[in-house]
Amino acid sequence: MRVYKTIAAFRAARRKLTGTLGFVPTMGYLHEGHMELVRRARAENDAVAVSIFVNPTQFGPNDDLSRYPRDLQRDVAMLRKERVDMLFTTTPEEMYPPGFDTWVEVKGVTDRLEGEARPGHFRGVATVVCKLFNIVRPTRAYFGQKDAQQCVAVRKMTRELDMDLNVVVVPTVREPDGLAMSSRNVYLTETSERQAALCLYNALSLAQSMYAQGERDAASIRRAMTELIQREPLARLDYVSVAHPDTLAELERIEGAALASLAVRIGDKVRLIDNALLGPGMRQKGEGGRKPSRKLTTFQINDLGARFVVAELTARGLVAVPTSRRTAGADVIVRELDGSAEAYLKVKASLKSPRLWPMSPAERCLKGPGTYYVFLRRPAGRSDTFEAFMATGDEVARAVAEGVLPRKDKTGGKPFMHWALPSDEGAVKALRARWETWRPGKA
Ligand code: AMP
């Protein structure tokens, strides 16, 4: 990987390139989120360029420019490992020489949310991204869904200013417990703050689960998210939004997809943002050949959904499920019953050494890699809580043998690949009785 410290040096090298060039603009202090963008660029292009530039014009007077974390040496090593070809990293003076006075402003979609909370932020972003595009001249540029409003603004800018490149948006990469990766997470120095920061993810998961259960009133979702954040003593809500994913206009009713997003201050030094799409990420599907009962719904849950479960379990100190970023595809069946909901979820613990977060008394439920089943129960009248326990495949087999759980093998081979709901109330009652007597460590 060659490192270029001036615009002229980068340009000279760029002119010699043939083929496609993928570009990942960053502010450095790289983490797995950035690396996912880099890997995607690597997979889709002949060459890859990354920029590291802490852009002063996108920071406001009250922002954290002077203390923004930096570690160029470490960043360079990480990029080399991913076979990045070119790194462009230069100084504010080179990017903004004296007398600089040309700005790119994307109006409309930047008026609210981050734009409102951080005046001038998106003018700085659009200007630097435009400059970087002119310097790098990429075929494709990669941005993270983590900064959803930035993605919308950059897309709009490239479209309206006829920039000849594709903007690729990469899903948010999260810590095992759901916290979105961010360079700013290093500010979460206290364990209590790190724990409190999970409330963003929990609020988004709640929004997703409400949507999944048919809630389409955006105000109800915003209210529930707000209440969840307000219950966290170390958190101060900046904004919460359920908006149209393209216009970012606040919604009343969710007709198609929606973008749930929020900004929260944790303690007095850290401001975090996160978002989740409601709708397409949580595809509803029919329940195979079975005729669904009135209130029966099957969900194919996505990564976020699976992580929601992990967060719920962890919050309860019950158990943490080993997760990787590959938990997509777990099956959940939710059934409304007497005003409460029952959910069965299958999570595969396929990592060689299961990662626990944090270690809990129920840790011994995890006997190593394998398939574990998580049983969830939503207490009546609560939309934000699950009770849960986890069982190994053997224990589930026993439950099936006892008739507590139905065996239904739609794939014609592996048992438990697909679960059906107990078809009669008796089986549900028996399952419930098991939950009633279950305690962590006894499972
Ligand atoms: P930054 O260095 O914070 O300016 O981020 C550079 C790029 O990485 C932006 O496009 C971000 O949206 C993206 N990014 C940051 N965090 C994540 C994450 N957790 N998952 C995916 N992309 C991310």
Side-chain angles (χ1 to χ4, degrees):
M1 181 177 78
R2 295 288 303 271
V3 181
Y4 304 91
K5 299 209 163 176
T6 64
I7 296 169
F10 187 93
R11 282 216 154 117
R14 172 68 180 102
R15 270 185 224 111
K16 294 191 193 123
L17 278 186
T18 54
T20 57
L21 177 62
F23 174 47
V24 182
T26 81
M27 297 206 297
Y29 211 72
L30 304 177
H31 50 67
E32 267 303 300
H34 298 112
M35 300 326 281
E36 195 68 20
L37 271 59
V38 169
R39 285 191 277 268
R40 181 86 182 265
R42 181 73 275 170
E44 296 177 355
N45 300 277
D46 298 323
V48 175
V50 172
S51 66
I52 294 179
F53 180 61
V54 182
N55 175 37
T57 64
Q58 71 189 67
F59 287 78
N62 301 322
D63 287 343
D64 52 352
L65 173 62
S66 61
R67 64 190 184 106
Y68 195 84
R70 297 161 205 241
D71 190 343
L72 187 62
Q73 227 182 334
R74 180 172 147 271
D75 291 349
V76 165
M78 286 171 79
L79 296 174
R80 286 222 153 95
K81 230 171 124 194
E82 294 298 334
R83 296 176 297 112
V84 167
D85 301 286
M86 309 165 88
L87 170 63
F88 177 58
T89 181
T90 190
T91 59
E93 294 72 29
E94 171 95 354
M95 290 294 269
Y96 302 105
F100 181 95
D101 208 8
T102 304
W103 302 98
V104 181
E105 282 203 65
V106 182
K107 303 256 193 201
V109 295
T110 64
D111 290 348
R112 300 186 48 255
L113 310 176
E114 286 304 283
E116 196 177 339
R118 304 176 67 190
H121 171 68
F122 283 114
R123 186 178 87 149
V125 169
T127 303
V128 81
V129 170
C130 176
K131 281 174 69 74
L132 288 168
F133 284 176
N134 285 333
I135 296 163
V136 176
R137 290 191 292 112
T139 319
R140 299 181 188 88
Y142 295 81
F143 291 83
Q145 173 66 27
K146 159 82 170 33
D147 299 282
Q149 194 174 14
Q150 173 170 284
C151 294
V152 171
V154 168
R155 274 228 164 97
K156 190 170 164 72
M157 172 183 80
T158 57
R159 197 170 55 238
E160 296 181 356
L161 295 182
D162 309 302
M163 295 176 169
D164 190 15
L165 60 99
N166 288 321
V167 172
V168 181
V169 176
V170 177
T172 303
V173 178
R174 297 176 180 282
E175 299 285 356
D177 64 352
L179 179 70
M181 292 201 179
S182 165
S183 308
R184 290 187 168 93
N185 290 352
V186 292
Y187 301 151
L188 300 165
T189 45
E190 307 289 327
T191 314
S192 56
E193 289 176 349
R194 174 62 183 78
Q195 198 60 32
L198 258 192
C199 68
L200 283 91
Y201 173 71
N202 289 342
L204 293 169
S205 304
L206 172 59
Q208 277 213 325
S209 99
M210 288 175 77
Y211 178 89
Q213 285 169 57
E215 182 62 80
R216 294 294 179 271
D217 178 44
S220 300
I221 296 179
R222 283 190 290 268
R223 202 176 317 116
M225 291 172 73
T226 303
E227 283 166 13
L228 189 147
I229 300 296
Q230 284 169 344
R231 282 202 294 275
E232 173 51 63
L234 290 179
R236 202 149 39 87
L237 185 64
D238 210 339
Y239 63 77
V240 57
S241 159
V242 176
H244 189 284
D246 299 326
T247 65
L248 301 183
E250 217 52 41
L251 292 174
E252 266 180 49
R253 269 200 77 71
I254 305 173
E255 306 289 354
L259 181 76
S261 65
L262 73 172
V264 177
R265 285 179 197 279
I266 304 292
D268 49 9
K269 329 185 273 296
V270 200
R271 181 178 181 277
L272 301 175
I273 59 170
D274 200 351
N275 69 84
L277 278 172
L278 307 182
M282 219 168 188
R283 292 190 309 276
Q284 281 196 29
K285 59 175 191 179
E287 231 248 310
R290 244 159 66 91
K291 206 171 166 216
S293 71
R294 197 165 50 85
K295 284 183 173 172
L296 182 67
T297 323
T298 306
F299 300 111
Q300 183 80 35
I301 64 162
N302 61 5
D303 192 45
L304 188 65
R307 274 158 205 287
F308 163 64
V309 173
V310 174
E312 286 293 332
L313 297 176
T314 308
R316 244 141 230 103
L318 282 177
V319 71
V321 183
T323 59
S324 69
R325 273 179 289 113
R326 284 177 245 289
T327 47
D331 286 323
V332 167
I333 298 173
V334 180
R335 184 188 207 189
E336 295 289 335
L337 190 77
D338 309 323
S340 67
E342 313 266 353
Y344 313 148
L345 176 128
K346 184 186 75 179
V347 177
K348 263 196 181 153
S350 54
L351 294 183
K352 270 213 175 104
S353 43
R355 277 217 272 175
L356 301 178
W357 183 291
M359 301 297 254
S360 79
E363 163 204 344
R364 54 202 165 107
C365 295
L366 286 180
K367 290 163 190 153
T371 301
Y372 294 87
Y373 296 86
V374 179
F375 297 76
L376 299 173
R377 174 172 66 177
R378 192 196 292 277
R382 296 288 299 266
S383 60
D384 60 341
T385 312
F386 275 115
E387 292 168 7
F389 78 85
M390 197 163 83
T392 62
D394 285 349
E395 287 157 344
V396 171
R398 224 179 307 129
V400 171
E402 289 165 14
V404 171
L405 288 173
R407 178 186 202 131
K408 191 166 184 193
D409 178 10
K410 289 186 209 157
T411 57
K414 302 173 195 145
F416 316 126
M417 282 299 284
H418 293 273
W419 285 27
L421 278 167
S423 50
D424 62 84
E425 290 320 47
V428 173
K429 278 205 185 108
L431 184 56
R432 234 191 197 160
R434 265 177 84 90
W435 290 0
E436 240 69 276
T437 53
W438 180 81
R439 293 282 175 278
K442 268 206 203 156

